[in-house]
Amino acid sequence: MTASALNVPSLRGKVSPEDLAAAYRLVSLYKWEDLVFTHISLRVPGAEDEFLINPYGVFFDEITASSLVKIDLKGQKIDDSPFEVNPAGFVIHSAIHAARHDAKCVLHTHTLNGVAVSAQRGGLRPISQHSMFSLASLAYHDFEGPALNDDEKPRLVADLGDKTSLILRNHGLLTVGETVADAWVAMYYLEASCAIQVRAQAGGELISVPKDVLDQAVSRQRQGARVWPGLIRRLDRLDPSYQN
């Protein structure tokens, strides 16, 4: 089947509310959600200090493009949305958006696999092909509590640096991208790497990827444009209401 027959859209430079709503639905579909207590934020196209985020209290499989709330860097609403937001939950996101112009999308999760690996002193181990892609651009941030205080922001930003993925120790996972698609695909590999590690640790002795092979690792942080159209088609088959 040809690309035209599949009606594959171009994702180059695409950043839209529909993409963000789709990302929330996909987080739910892939079972990465933690009730209503994580966020995916997106810089509003053409605006430096305006962002879209989920309406607080709405489950991720209910989110639509029109229900997203526009906020400022302090997490305060700047439109007349009937929905509430959680400013405290935007602390991590606001720090990264302010420091990294390329981080148009910031995706944060509290998955069981991610938190499990975040609690391991050795962090993510090079034991799978999946982990190679995440390790190519991975940083760590030590736990300082539920990330509610602004004074943690400089340390968070410094620890992330120019990386794409961040393991928040004792807390969870975070990825960034120039598009929603890039951030989502980066999270896919990070989450899969953590799941593989947790399962592998239940068995025998682990085999690490040799260092010379690791040094050849290529990050897949810019693979969103290749994967995203298929994910959108999957969502459209299941429930296209995220577009509303």
Side-chain angles (χ1 to χ4, degrees):
M1 186 176 291
T2 65
S4 59
L6 284 171
N7 192 28
V8 178
S10 171
L11 263 284
R12 293 193 179 278
K14 180 180 178 183
V15 180
S16 71
E18 290 78 14
D19 278 335
L20 183 57
Y24 276 107
R25 295 291 186 99
L26 287 164
V27 164
S28 177
L29 182 63
Y30 280 74
K31 302 188 184 303
W32 298 347
E33 75 270 42
D34 180 20
L35 298 177
V36 298
F37 299 111
T38 59
H39 306 279
I40 315 171
S41 57
L42 174 67
R43 191 186 304 275
V44 174
E48 286 299 310
D49 298 323
E50 296 181 1
F51 309 88
L52 294 174
I53 201 166
N54 54 306
Y56 194 40
V58 177
F59 279 84
F60 287 9
D61 62 351
E62 302 173 319
I63 289 176
T64 62
S66 62
S67 71
L68 296 167
V69 184
K70 188 183 295 186
I71 59 175
D72 60 22
L73 266 175
K74 295 181 180 179
Q76 302 298 320
K77 290 196 298 184
I78 55 177
D79 60 14
D80 59 355
S81 169
F83 298 104
E84 296 301 317
V85 296
N86 179 14
F90 190 60
V91 169
I92 292 174
H93 297 249
S94 62
I96 296 170
H97 281 302
R100 292 270 303 268
H101 183 76
D102 63 309
K104 293 182 173 64
C105 180
V106 178
L107 198 168
H108 175 42
T109 64
H110 297 159
T111 62
L112 297 182
N113 296 315
V115 175
V117 172
S118 79
Q120 296 179 10
R121 190 172 301 277
L124 185 64
R125 300 181 59 178
I127 60 170
S128 67
Q129 177 173 277
H130 283 71
S131 69
M132 290 174 58
F133 301 126
S134 293
L135 288 167
S137 188
L138 176 65
Y140 293 85
H141 176 65
D142 287 339
F143 190 59
E144 300 185 27
L148 303 178
N149 300 316
D150 285 345
D151 63 1
E152 185 179 353
K153 289 182 176 182
R155 294 182 291 278
L156 178 70
V157 167
D159 287 338
L160 176 62
D162 62 354
K163 304 299 185 183
T164 297
S165 301
L166 182 69
I167 292 181
L168 300 153
R169 293 194 182 275
N170 309 101
H171 185 163
L173 308 178
L174 182 144
T175 58
V176 304
E178 289 198 20
T179 66
V180 175
D182 288 336
W184 198 93
V185 171
M187 182 60 74
Y188 173 84
Y189 277 99
L190 185 56
E191 170 62 23
S193 300
C194 290
I196 291 167
Q197 179 166 316
V198 170
R199 293 187 184 194
Q201 287 170 327
E205 182 179 356
L206 302 180
I207 302 172
S208 293
V209 176
K211 186 179 184 304
D212 62 325
V213 177
L214 277 177
D215 291 343
Q216 301 172 28
V218 177
S219 174
R220 289 194 171 180
Q221 59 182 296
R222 297 295 179 87
Q223 289 294 313
R226 185 179 300 277
V227 176
W228 195 247
L231 290 168
I232 293 299
R233 293 194 302 272
R234 175 172 292 172
L235 273 184
D236 287 346
R237 289 192 299 270
L238 294 171
D239 180 2
S241 65
Y242 71 91
Q243 302 175 42
N244 297 341

